[in-house]
Amino acid sequence: MNYIVFDLEWNQSPNGKEDSVDHLPFEIIEIGAVKLDEGFCQVGEFHKLIRPQVYKKLHFKISEVTHMDMRKLCQEGQRFEDVIREFVEWCGEEEYCFCTWGSMDLTELQRNMAYYGLDIPFPRPLLYYDIQKLFCFQYGDGKNKVSLDQAVQQMAMEEERPFHRALDDAYYTGRVLSALDMDLYGVYVSVDYYGLPDEKDKEFYLYFPEYTKFVSREFDSREEIMKDKNITDMVCLKCRRMLRKKIRWFPYGQRFYFCLAYCPEHGYVKGKIRVKKSEKDRYYIVKTTKMAGDEDVELLTQRKEDGRRKRSAKSHTKKYDNN
């Protein structure tokens, strides 16, 4: 299997969100990629500039970071449609896995493809490696992420190329990947959320050593989501038995729900649901479950009480205002 390590540079509305085009907040202006073989040796590279067709003026931050200019993009850049067809062909027919630094590039690639009416030929679920996340697992605390240049410096790699251009960043990302312990961390694939399941029986289930992840199909409302048994059921990570809930699902803020269940053999299991908006302005969820210790039990108990107090205070204030 090959690894396609790619990076994008994109532009955005210079006037802020109010002038952004719907479903195209970022227009790709450069793509760079390196192809690694199964031994993580580089066997090819791809680089193209893309002529802007939506945002015709560079946002000052983009210009400042990349040192690109609109004149060069217009003179040397090619049509997005032509570049992406060439990129997909370059990826080849042999099995490959996408690798990126962070989770945004695959989403923005597909958004741009959809904007121009191009077919998206990638499989569903689209699994990929977020090298930033894997680096964080191996060299950090698993939570706090670092930038690509910080990772290169931390690994004492030679910095023979600049940063913040697509091909150069893809090159460095590939070098970081080749230095990771993939026998240990290669199980932690990421799943793309742009292409969501379109039916209940196609929803995504991913199983990892310490946790599980579930990605639902789309729903019309938040209320409809929490009526779905697939979403609200809790299962033990170790023995896969259905669990009784000790703390039923409760809302925490606008986007989260939490739950605590108990397995008689393996102990507590905590669940977290994050509600997200899809490209179609509908709702879907990402649910994670993990084994829980005494601190987790205490934290969830406190969160439920905090939420109850906030809702009670809000209801009391609303009642007072109506009077």
Side-chain angles (χ1 to χ4, degrees):
M1 181 177 70
N2 288 326
Y3 299 89
I4 305 298
V5 188
F6 78 95
D7 185 80
L8 304 173
E9 300 297 338
W10 53 63
N11 190 25
Q12 62 194 83
S13 169
N15 300 319
K17 290 184 178 180
E18 61 271 11
D19 285 339
S20 288
V21 174
D22 286 345
H23 301 295
L24 193 72
F26 305 111
E27 180 183 15
I28 297 171
I29 54 177
E30 185 181 33
I31 180 169
V34 296
K35 184 182 294 184
L36 308 182
D37 63 18
E38 59 185 11
F40 303 103
C41 295
Q42 184 171 324
V43 295
E45 66 178 37
F46 181 93
H47 176 249
K48 292 289 182 180
L49 294 178
I50 297 171
R51 187 186 314 123
Q53 300 178 63
V54 179
Y55 303 118
K56 300 294 183 68
K57 181 179 178 181
L58 278 179
H59 191 284
F60 76 94
K61 287 187 178 179
I62 305 300
S63 179
E64 184 180 273
V65 171
T66 65
H67 303 293
M68 301 172 77
D69 65 79
M70 188 59 71
R71 178 180 298 179
K72 183 175 182 178
L73 286 171
C74 290
Q75 290 177 346
E76 301 181 17
Q78 301 176 29
R79 294 172 68 248
F80 174 83
E81 301 95 312
D82 297 332
V83 169
I84 294 308
R85 290 190 183 100
E86 190 175 340
F87 173 65
V88 171
E89 183 178 346
W90 174 83
C91 289
E93 296 182 359
E94 185 178 343
E95 183 183 1
Y96 61 83
C97 179
F98 281 128
C99 305
T100 61
W101 189 265
S103 60
M104 290 185 65
D105 287 271
L106 263 178
T107 294
E108 298 310 326
L109 176 64
Q110 293 172 96
R111 274 183 179 155
N112 277 252
M113 293 175 75
Y115 180 83
Y116 287 104
L118 300 178
D119 290 334
I120 299 176
F122 311 136
R124 300 292 179 217
L126 177 52
L127 304 179
Y128 69 99
Y129 282 123
D130 178 347
I131 307 305
Q132 185 184 46
K133 181 176 76 173
L134 300 188
F135 176 87
C136 181
F137 283 159
Q138 182 164 336
Y139 293 99
D141 60 5
K143 297 179 181 180
N144 296 309
K145 297 178 180 179
V146 301
S147 64
L148 178 59
D149 53 340
Q150 289 175 322
V152 169
Q153 291 168 8
Q154 187 173 329
M155 299 181 79
M157 290 182 173
E158 184 180 353
E159 299 179 33
E160 69 267 38
R161 304 168 72 150
F163 289 93
H164 307 303
R165 289 296 300 268
L167 182 57
D168 297 317
D169 283 1
Y171 167 78
Y172 282 121
T173 302
R175 288 193 61 192
V176 173
L177 167 61
S178 67
L180 294 176
D181 184 352
M182 292 301 285
D183 289 335
L184 182 60
Y185 297 103
V187 297
Y188 295 103
V189 294
S190 295
V191 60
D192 164 61
Y193 298 148
Y194 184 88
L196 295 167
D198 54 9
E199 298 177 14
K200 186 170 185 174
D201 61 357
K202 295 180 180 179
E203 292 175 320
F204 306 158
Y205 294 85
L206 285 83
Y207 301 93
F208 302 98
E210 299 89 9
Y211 65 96
T212 69
K213 180 176 286 190
F214 167 78
V215 182
S216 78
R217 66 196 187 281
E218 296 173 88
F219 293 85
D220 291 326
S221 68
R222 296 170 185 266
E223 294 73 25
E224 188 181 353
I225 287 174
M226 298 309 292
K227 294 176 182 178
D228 189 281
K229 197 171 183 297
N230 269 15
I231 292 173
T232 57
D233 277 348
M234 289 290 288
V235 175
C236 178
L237 279 67
K238 297 182 178 181
C239 64
R240 309 306 304 163
R241 77 171 74 186
M242 193 70 66
L243 303 180
R244 181 181 297 276
K245 300 179 184 69
K246 293 293 185 179
I247 300 178
R248 294 184 176 276
W249 290 103
F250 64 92
Y252 191 77
Q254 295 294 315
R255 296 184 296 171
F256 294 96
Y257 291 85
F258 289 95
C259 173
L260 185 70
Y262 185 75
C263 173
E265 183 176 354
H266 299 107
Y268 286 104
V269 179
K270 62 180 179 178
K272 180 176 77 171
I273 287 174
R274 181 173 183 176
V275 181
K276 301 169 75 72
K277 267 286 190 76
S278 73
E279 293 294 310
K280 300 175 183 177
D281 289 325
R282 301 178 72 202
Y283 297 94
Y284 71 99
I285 66 98
V286 178
K287 181 175 82 170
T288 56
T289 59
K290 297 181 180 180
M291 301 306 295
D294 292 340
E295 289 184 2
D296 297 308
V297 174
E298 185 178 342
L299 177 61
L300 287 179
T301 302
Q302 186 61 52
R303 279 183 173 175
K304 182 176 182 181
E305 180 61 20
D306 290 344
R308 187 195 65 79
R309 288 175 180 172
K310 288 179 181 179
R311 289 192 299 273
S312 177
K314 186 176 180 180
S315 176
H316 200 68
T317 300
K318 185 176 180 181
K319 182 178 179 180
Y320 178 81
D321 290 341
N322 289 338
N323 291 334

